[in-house]
Amino acid sequence: MAKKRIVSGMRPTGRMHLGHLHGALLNWKDLQDEWDCFFFIADWHALTSEYANPAIIKQTTYEIIADWISVGLDPEKCTFFIQSEVKEHAELHLILSMITPLPWLERNPTYKEQLKELTQKDLHTYGFLGYPVLQAADILMYKANGVPVGEDQAPHVELTREIARRFNYLYKTQVFPVPDVILTPTSKLLGIDRRKMSKSYGNAIYLTDPPGEVEKKVSQMITDPQRKRKTDPGDPDICNVYFYHEIYTDPGKVSEIAASCRAARIGCVECKKIMAQSLIKGLEPIREKRRELGAHMDRVKEIMVAGNRRARAIAESTMEEVRQAIKMPSDL
Ligand code: TRP
Ligand code: SF4
């Protein structure tokens, strides 16, 4: 039986960090054997907020794909492509925008939140309001059965489901399957300042940070904020450093660290040193693969060309069906 399909994308705002790794990429990797995977760079989505400063978008696209491959996403199993290289996304976005009621977009929680938070940028644009419509086009284009995303993106997939149903209903068709949300468990790992890891906060540890950089960042990490002195007992359950131990340090050692922390037998400086070494060791295979790929970026480019082509073929065929459904077939 043919595998069911999933589609997910990322905006190219920078190189991949641990937030991406544990919040998306490792989950994608787990899914790649069971599903027909389409993973793409949402560069037009990046333009909704970076429209005044678009150079960064193109620059990072290939770096990101190389990062994806380095963590073990397999181009033999997954189709990687670039949104703006499949122009049909723009056409489907346009058509879906005709049938999407404005209130569906205006009540979108992510939209409201970002308008409030990203005040340095003017996001009162047509394109930004329509962000989820473009996302629906990305997903429906490939007739995805599932969409692996984090909690923050779930409302967008809900909207996609509503748009799919509305399209099918209006045009009495079954062109679009209604895709399921495949929720990625939220990672406990935070940035070095204990906020969500993000390039814009400057608190990220990148997959390709050299060991010295990892050591430096880990040494700056905020631990249990209640623990002022080495003689105070700490609480690993609220310590970001400890969350990293849980993932990267040998399980036997982890329980020992927790006990020593609670008994004030280990200081945070020493604890961080141990964690930094575990993390460096854990990331080494990724760094190694990434180094190798970095010397052969033409290979990454070939993978993208092939992926774009595969995506385009599906997009062309879906758009034929969509044009038929809306009684506007191209007949010239
Ligand atoms: N909005 C998503 C994000 O910011 C990126 C994205 C664009 C996406 N199109 C998508 C995710 C389609 C899943 C499916 O992370
Ligand atoms: Fe966190 Fe380790 Fe310090 Fe305990 S000793 S508070 S686990 S950094």
Side-chain angles (χ1 to χ4, degrees), residues 97-204:
S97 79
M98 303 301 168
I99 68 164
T100 305
L102 267 181
W104 289 9
L105 300 175
E106 285 162 346
R107 68 171 183 235
N108 166 17
T110 320
Y111 174 70
K112 289 197 283 195
E113 192 185 302
Q114 300 220 348
L115 269 193
K116 219 167 30 184
E117 285 198 1
L118 303 178
T119 43
Q120 334 80 296
K121 290 179 187 145
D122 183 2
L123 296 179
H124 291 93
T125 60
Y126 183 51
F128 191 67
L129 180 66
Y131 185 110
V133 183
L134 181 57
Q135 187 159 344
D138 300 336
I139 296 166
L140 299 178
M141 185 70 85
Y142 303 93
K143 304 189 181 199
N145 306 103
V147 187
V149 286
E151 195 130 26
D152 61 316
Q153 291 293 315
H156 289 168
V157 183
E158 282 303 325
L159 219 94
T160 301
R161 292 163 58 87
E162 292 183 56
I163 292 173
R165 284 197 204 99
R166 185 163 163 83
F167 185 95
N168 290 344
Y169 166 78
L170 278 172
Y171 304 112
K172 301 186 178 46
T173 167
Q174 293 297 323
V175 173
F176 296 129
V178 177
D180 290 320
V181 181
I182 302 176
L183 207 57
T184 310
T186 316
S187 156
K188 268 164 102 182
L189 301 189
L190 300 169
I192 62 176
D193 59 358
R194 260 177 137 234
R195 290 188 291 171
K196 184 180 151 93
M197 193 177 282
S198 157
K199 181 189 172 203
S200 54
Y201 292 154
N203 64 359

Side-chain angles (χ1 to χ4, degrees), residues 252-268:
K253 248 194 195 159
V254 175
S255 40
E256 193 185 308
I257 287 169
S260 302
C261 170
R262 287 204 174 89
R265 275 195 311 264
I266 185 174
C268 294

